[in-house]
Amino acid sequence: MSDDWHPHSWKKFQALQQPEWPDQQNLDETCSNLSRYPPLVFAGEVRALKNHLAKVHRGDAFLLQGGDCAESFNDFTANSIRDKLKVLLQMAVILTHGISKPVIKVGRIAGQYAKPRSSPLETQNGVSLPSFRGESVNDPSFTLEARLPDPLRLERAYFQSASTLNLLRAFTHGGFANLERVHTWNQDFVANSPQGQRYAHLADQLTDAMKFMGAIGVNTQNSPILHEVEYFTSHEALILEYETALTRRDSLTGDFYNCSAHMIWIGERTRQPDGAHVEFLRGVKNPLGVKIGPKASADEILQLCDRLNPLNEPGRLTFIGRFGHDQIAKSLPPLLRTIKQEGRAVIWSCDPMHGNTYTAPTGHKTRALDHILMELRQFIDILQAEGIWPGGAHFELTGDNVTECVGGSHVVLEEDLNERYETTCDPRLNAAQSLDVAFLVAEEIRSLQQR
Ligand code: PEP
Ligand code: CO
């Protein structure tokens, strides 16, 4: 890190996608409060994640990242947090079993409250209002009052993140994630679907394996790994005032960590190598993600490596490709080759959601499971052909039985979208569709391993 970095140095650079806060003093007061509140995560945990990601970089582990497109202030219940955890644990079991490698579990949760938008205004029936920018900024209802940015929402996002994280820590260390309970993570509405039954079959096999291990003396009492799970949090570091307020110097190492989440990423719209977001990210020691879309050039991604990972540390930087099923074959290979030729330590992960969004005739923003699966399959094949480990996958998903994405072995049709379309932003996979994608990734990687 060069000496001219400090938590506010980004202010000298252009920061895109920042809200127009109506009252600067109000914002400053809120951020000053936030900067005194306790950190949400600790530097030691962040370092543990970075070590795990170094294994991902070596091809010895897989990164599974998933959760809401945007967390909501209204949908804030123990059940919804538990069900999102359940589905990620199920996907991790499917993947670990399928590819025989550890799966690093990272939620898009406990901080995912801010959204970049393609247009500053949204128009409905001839009326234009400021766009919804995530609940830490404004409210999704379509009224002028609701859409006015309010800094107090940043504080509410902080407290909701703290409360969400508290429950996640209790679930992952208090017995809920015990591998003996692998059957109970299958939810009722999934259990009768083909993928739910397939999961139940896998859970039976695991239960048998646990009995065998118990017989030779490995059990949940003497092996914490069987009843506790390491689970990390992540979100898009979009609102730089908020991220700065949660950035702290670690007393052990003297380094700066963004203590709002273990991993943070920047999006396709704010990853300019000379922009404020890259400036902010380069100075914190957290593992970083950058979304990479079809417009990214080889030169740009090398500049991102120079700025964000100058020491070329494995596990520091993950490129999260989000090309679209019809673009990935053309756009990804030249980028992979550049990074490989230049010897840059980068984990490649696939976000098969954001390049595959379209509007259905019903007016709903949706994604087809077929396109999602097509992008994932191509991603894995292309990386394999280049001799690079397909390090991870990134999904927008929920544990609920929503109808937001179409397709899946428990089919949702375009005409069903209106039934339970609950997202405040992009369409998410429901629990059954999430199992579908996990089975596909597991099979695809396994078949490559067997070749
Ligand atoms: C997102 O992850 O919700 C998002 C906005 O992604 P991207 O920056 O890739 O468009
Ligand atoms: Co999204």
Side-chain angles (χ1 to χ4, degrees), residues 41-217:
V41 304
F42 300 102
E45 299 171 328
V46 175
R47 284 191 284 271
L49 174 59
K50 174 134 171 275
N51 289 337
H52 291 315
L53 292 176
K55 286 187 213 122
V56 172
H57 179 255
R58 288 203 300 272
D60 292 336
F62 187 83
L63 164 65
L64 172 65
Q65 198 176 3
D68 284 321
C69 177
E71 286 176 90
S72 141
F73 284 172
N74 286 330
D75 176 29
F76 175 45
T77 63
N79 286 359
S80 99
I81 296 165
R82 180 200 60 199
D83 294 345
K84 269 183 270 251
L85 175 65
K86 269 187 184 174
V87 76
L88 213 77
L89 290 177
Q90 287 186 287
M91 293 171 83
V93 160
I94 293 168
L95 284 161
T96 313
H97 179 263
I99 69 182
S100 308
K101 289 186 197 286
V103 172
I104 314 309
K105 296 164 269 296
V106 180
R108 269 180 78 115
I109 200 165
Q112 178 52 22
Y113 292 100
K115 299 310 301 173
R117 303 318 301 247
S118 1
S119 161
L121 293 178
E122 178 184 346
T123 304
Q124 282 185 24
N125 305 320
V127 180
S128 294
L129 292 178
S131 293
F132 171 58
R133 290 187 174 273
E135 298 237 23
S136 64
V137 177
N138 57 7
D139 184 280
S141 328
F142 196 70
T143 66
L144 183 56
E145 199 194 356
R147 292 294 172 90
L148 220 55
D150 176 1
L152 283 181
R153 291 180 155 267
L154 292 172
E155 253 186 282
R156 181 155 173 203
Y158 166 86
F159 284 115
Q160 189 162 317
S161 300
S163 174
T164 302
L165 198 48
N166 177 52
L167 196 65
L168 288 168
R169 289 188 194 278
F171 279 138
T172 50
H173 294 282
F176 182 82
N178 188 328
L179 270 177
E180 283 171 344
R181 299 188 53 169
V182 63
H183 272 289
T184 65
W185 305 335
N186 218 0
Q187 301 197 60
D188 292 345
F189 67 86
V190 180
N192 290 325
S193 66
Q195 59 278 64
Q197 285 169 1
R198 201 171 159 195
Y199 175 81
H201 179 65
L202 174 58
D204 285 341
Q205 289 175 278
L206 284 177
T207 305
D208 281 347
M210 296 276 290
K211 282 186 196 146
F212 170 78
M213 291 202 298
I216 59 170

Side-chain angles (χ1 to χ4, degrees), residues 69 108 115-116 236 265 267-269 291 322 354 396:
C69 177
R108 269 180 78 115
K115 299 310 301 173
E236 177 170 353
W265 78 85
E268 171 70 353
R269 295 167 190 79
K291 294 289 200 85
R322 31 86 82 224
H354 287 89
E396 288 185 341

Side-chain angles (χ1 to χ4, degrees), residues 1-2 282 288 303-313 316-317 344:
M1 185 178 75
S2 59
R282 83 183 172 94
L288 305 174
Q303 284 185 54
L304 286 166
C305 293
D306 287 342
R307 304 228 359 119
L308 297 175
N309 194 11
L311 303 179
N312 212 25
E313 294 169 86
R316 160 75 168 170
L317 186 58
R344 302 310 177 95

